[in-house]
Amino acid sequence: MRRLRGRLIQPFLKEYHLQKTDLVMPLFIDETADRLTPIPAMPCQFRYPPGDIGSAVLRLQEKGIGAVLLFGIPAHKDPGASGSYNPEGVIQEAVRRVKSVAPGILVITDVCACEYTDHGHCGIVGEGLYGMDLQNDPSLELIARIAVSHARAGADFVAPSCMLDGMVSVIRQALDDEGFQETGIMSYSTKFASALYSPFREAADSGFRYGDRSTYQIHPGNFREAVRESEIDALEGADILMVKPGGFYLDLVASIRELGLPVAVYQVSGEYAMIKAAAMNGWIDERNVVMESLICAKRAGADLIITYYAADAAGWLDEEQRLL
Ligand code: PBG
Ligand code: ZN
């Protein structure tokens, strides 16, 4: 085995490679911010004021990042998430801005209601069997409406993250009905009820006021259910599937990619925060840990990796290239 690990032959025998076109950078646009706002639980990540999103995307493009996933934080929240489908809403404006300054960037928008509802749940809530909870069917129309408004603003892909049953089929139908046959759907198809989302909920101001998301997201111990979630979304017309979070859940990727669709892996806020915190303490080497986490997602079968480290990784890839 050692002959194949010789310093000169080794680079030729790498089975997987990380490329900039694997990477998607999530960005937060905050309608209430008038300057770049640091996110405490995600050091080096920021909420962008609407006016700064164009230049932020141009900087990413310079580094070779070609895809962004946009999240909006609205000035106003209400039970029906009215800000989420407003044609002049924070995300709709941001999409138009990004598309006008950088038409070559792939724009994916997170489609969910939790940043826009005052209760913080991912759709319409009501009294259920076990108290107040997300109401699946009444939320579908809202989700479809959000997706269409993003498509109308110019999003290339919409990414529903609400884990509603039937979300992909209602979105596909609504997009087709409104003339957006070309708009793709990247479904958060296999999304676990993970404790790793808490820095994000601070970042996007989307924490729930009561309850939790365990009635609509998958329990971390469930494998077959997790595969079935993606299978259903594939049948409903999703173009790209997703496994979220990444690191703890890479075993799912191998099975889900057998469905035949491209698979994205989302290295979530808590994964970012854990690496960053250890690195800031000098306990691990940030660059090596990040690059290891990303190549392992590739090895597991990821076609795309959504990561808050996308911009850093692009820089590190450039450095590796120079060393060859
Ligand atoms: C919204 C949404 C969440 C994330 C992406 N979209 C939070 C949640 O479901 O509670 C998590 C992203 C991250 O932690 O980086 N539904
Ligand atoms: Zn949500």
Side-chain angles (χ1 to χ4, degrees):
M1 299 312 290
R2 282 203 214 175
R3 285 192 290 272
L4 298 176
R5 293 189 197 119
R7 292 215 184 273
L8 293 183
I9 188 78
Q10 201 182 106
F12 293 88
L13 300 180
K14 280 189 181 159
E15 295 179 47
Y16 290 91
H17 296 268
L18 183 70
Q19 297 178 316
K20 292 180 186 177
T21 48
D22 296 325
L23 303 171
V24 179
M25 180 73 188
L27 294 174
F28 301 99
I29 303 108
D30 184 352
E31 200 175 21
T32 69
D34 52 9
R35 64 176 63 87
L36 209 57
T37 311
I39 302 164
M42 300 175 74
C44 308
Q45 299 296 315
F46 301 89
R47 293 182 183 191
Y48 293 90
D52 284 7
I53 192 62
S55 53
V57 168
L58 285 176
R59 279 197 303 279
L60 286 171
Q61 202 176 29
E62 260 163 45
K63 293 188 169 170
I65 295 298
V68 291
L69 172 61
L70 303 183
F71 295 92
I73 299 126
H76 166 79
K77 298 179 192 247
D78 56 39
S82 63
S84 61
Y85 51 80
N86 178 353
E88 271 86 54
V90 56
I91 211 73
Q92 292 80 359
E93 296 282 11
V95 170
R96 281 191 289 269
R97 220 176 272 254
V98 170
K99 277 292 172 190
S100 75
V101 303
I105 284 268
L106 180 77
V107 175
I108 310 169
T109 54
D110 185 87
V111 172
C112 203
C114 53
E115 295 98 350
Y116 302 86
T117 51
D118 51 4
H119 45 69
H121 282 285
C122 301
I124 306 296
V125 295
E127 197 61 47
L129 272 179
Y130 310 103
M132 286 295 274
D133 207 346
L134 183 69
Q135 304 280 296
N136 194 87
D137 293 4
S139 303
L140 287 172
E141 199 187 326
L142 169 64
I143 289 301
R145 199 167 171 189
I146 301 173
V148 168
S149 78
H150 292 182
R152 188 162 282 131
D156 299 293
F157 274 76
V158 291
S161 66
C162 49
M163 287 292 285
L164 292 167
D165 291 333
M167 67 181 185
V168 174
S169 62
V170 298
I171 288 174
R172 186 69 270 159
Q173 187 69 52
L175 290 173
D176 290 351
D177 287 350
E178 298 290 327
F180 298 108
Q181 285 84 358
E182 306 299 322
T183 309
I185 301 176
M186 173 195 273
S187 178
Y188 284 69
S189 52
T190 290
K191 178 171 176 180
F192 288 90
S194 173
L196 292 167
Y197 306 151
S198 55
F200 171 93
R201 290 174 188 161
E202 176 189 272
D205 191 24
S206 69
F208 30 80
R209 277 219 312 255
Y210 50 81
D212 57 34
R213 302 211 207 288
S214 65
T215 56
Y216 43 105
Q217 300 177 348
I218 309 162
H219 187 275
N222 289 2
F223 186 91
R224 274 175 299 165
E225 181 190 346
V227 175
R228 217 165 132 244
E229 277 283 4
S230 275
E231 201 175 345
I232 291 168
D233 285 13
L235 291 170
E236 288 184 18
D239 300 289
I240 302 176
L241 301 171
M242 192 192 298
V243 173
K244 177 185 174 205
F248 295 172
Y249 297 88
L250 291 180
D251 56 323
L252 269 312
V253 181
S255 301
I256 288 172
R257 80 196 304 270
E258 280 173 26
L259 298 168
L261 292 176
V263 182
V265 165
Y266 198 144
Q267 181 175 60
V268 301
S269 57
E271 297 177 79
Y272 175 88
M274 290 192 293
I275 298 174
K276 184 60 89 177
M280 287 169 72
N281 277 293
W283 297 334
I284 59 170
D285 181 89
E286 183 175 35
R287 172 177 170 167
N288 285 328
V289 171
V290 170
M291 294 310 256
E292 182 176 331
S293 71
L294 301 179
I295 199 66
C296 289
K298 292 285 291 183
R299 192 200 61 228
D303 298 285
L304 291 168
I305 307 170
I306 303 164
T307 172
Y308 302 95
Y309 274 116
D312 295 315
W316 292 326
L317 284 170
D318 285 336
E319 280 177 34
E320 281 176 15
Q321 206 59 43
R322 277 198 291 277
L323 288 177
L324 278 179

